[in-house]
Amino acid sequence: MAKFSTILFDLDGTITDPKNGITKSVAYALDYFHIPYPSLDSLCTFIGPPLRDSFSEYGVKESDLKLAIEKYREYYIQENGIFDLTIYPGFMDMLKKLKQAEKKIFLATCKTRIYANDILEHFSLAPYFDFVSGSELDGTRITKGEVIAYALAETKTQASEQVIMVGDRKHDILGAKENSLQVASVLYGYGTREEFLAHHTDFIVETVKDLEQFLLQ
């Protein structure tokens, strides 16, 4: 029996490099509130965590968080920031091999679910996913733990050693642990080895090719 039968993937920083679209959308929102930032690169910290958490940490007042997210989405959709990204080289080939090996593949992202679906469709990734779990526009399922729990419940998947979460930030680790899942953390995204070790990830993988070999073992 294969080691892993079901794989949950994070989206931003794991499947895609969304740096351009996300940082420009964040900058647009911060500019609205006249909150300074050193550079677009400095806003890469917004890739992965829930937007509400990231805006709060960047100094947006609690009472302004809803508007900040609305401004972010305004640019993200109207200026096509949603598709201003790249798929990590080799990832689509890996998904094809995983499907050929009859793995169940779920998406578990803190990104709004309708946006995640749009991205998967736009980049021809949708056929590889058996289920998509994300947040909702009304604020439902904000945390990665909630997103993972929803995916498991809706697909009637029991936590076991054959189910694994793959992500690039501490939030993926924390969310997986909340749901009694193992987690593989990827170094090609936006997290660091130090971050992964500090939050007790189960596995650290350096490249997409390494990830493919790991998941197909």
Side-chain angles (χ1 to χ4, degrees):
M1 184 178 291
K3 184 171 183 178
F4 302 115
S5 61
T6 304
I7 303 156
L8 291 81
F9 285 109
D10 171 48
L11 181 59
D12 295 338
T14 301
I15 299 173
T16 70
D17 183 350
K19 177 180 175 180
N20 289 338
I22 287 181
T23 56
K24 290 175 184 176
S25 300
V26 170
Y28 178 82
L30 293 177
D31 287 343
Y32 178 84
F33 291 103
H34 305 292
I35 296 175
Y37 48 90
S39 63
L40 285 178
D41 282 352
S42 72
L43 303 179
C44 287
T45 55
F46 280 77
I47 299 173
L51 279 174
R52 186 180 183 86
D53 294 351
S54 294
F55 276 123
S56 180
E57 290 174 6
Y58 221 87
V60 176
K61 294 185 294 186
E62 179 75 23
S63 57
D64 288 332
L65 288 174
K66 182 179 179 182
L67 181 56
I69 293 171
E70 289 175 357
K71 287 297 177 183
Y72 170 94
R73 289 173 177 164
E74 186 177 303
Y75 183 97
Y76 193 64
I77 298 302
Q78 293 179 7
E79 301 299 325
N80 223 30
I82 185 173
F83 300 132
D84 191 1
L85 56 80
T86 58
I87 307 300
Y88 284 113
F91 209 96
M92 185 176 288
D93 286 340
M94 179 181 68
L95 289 175
K96 291 178 183 177
K97 292 176 183 177
L98 292 174
K99 291 306 290 183
Q100 289 169 357
E102 300 184 339
K103 308 286 188 181
K104 289 182 181 178
I105 303 175
F106 305 153
L107 189 72
T109 175
C110 286
K111 187 184 291 296
T112 306
R113 185 166 56 93
I114 59 169
Y115 298 160
N117 274 317
D118 287 345
I119 290 169
L120 294 183
E121 291 287 349
H122 184 83
F123 290 95
S124 302
L125 295 171
Y128 302 107
F129 287 86
D130 298 289
F131 189 79
V132 175
S133 179
S135 64
E136 301 293 344
L137 288 170
D138 65 3
T140 305
R141 289 191 300 280
I142 293 176
T143 71
K144 183 53 68 83
E146 292 169 335
V147 168
I148 294 172
Y150 181 74
L152 297 177
E154 290 296 305
T155 60
K156 296 180 171 57
T157 301
Q158 296 292 323
S160 75
E161 291 185 356
Q162 287 190 296
V163 183
I164 191 164
M165 176 72 206
V166 179
D168 75 310
R169 295 299 310 276
K170 66 181 182 181
H171 308 84
D172 301 299
I173 301 170
L174 295 172
K177 298 301 183 184
E178 282 178 31
N179 289 279
S180 302
L181 294 185
Q182 296 184 96
V183 57
S185 300
V186 300
L187 282 170
Y188 60 79
Y190 285 87
T192 64
R193 188 179 296 274
E194 290 73 25
E195 178 180 342
F196 301 155
L197 292 174
H199 290 86
H200 309 292
T201 192
D202 296 293
F203 308 98
I204 296 178
V205 182
E206 293 199 4
T207 68
V208 173
K209 192 65 181 176
D210 292 339
L211 181 62
E212 175 185 306
Q213 294 172 350
F214 173 73
L215 294 175
L216 285 169
Q217 62 182 314

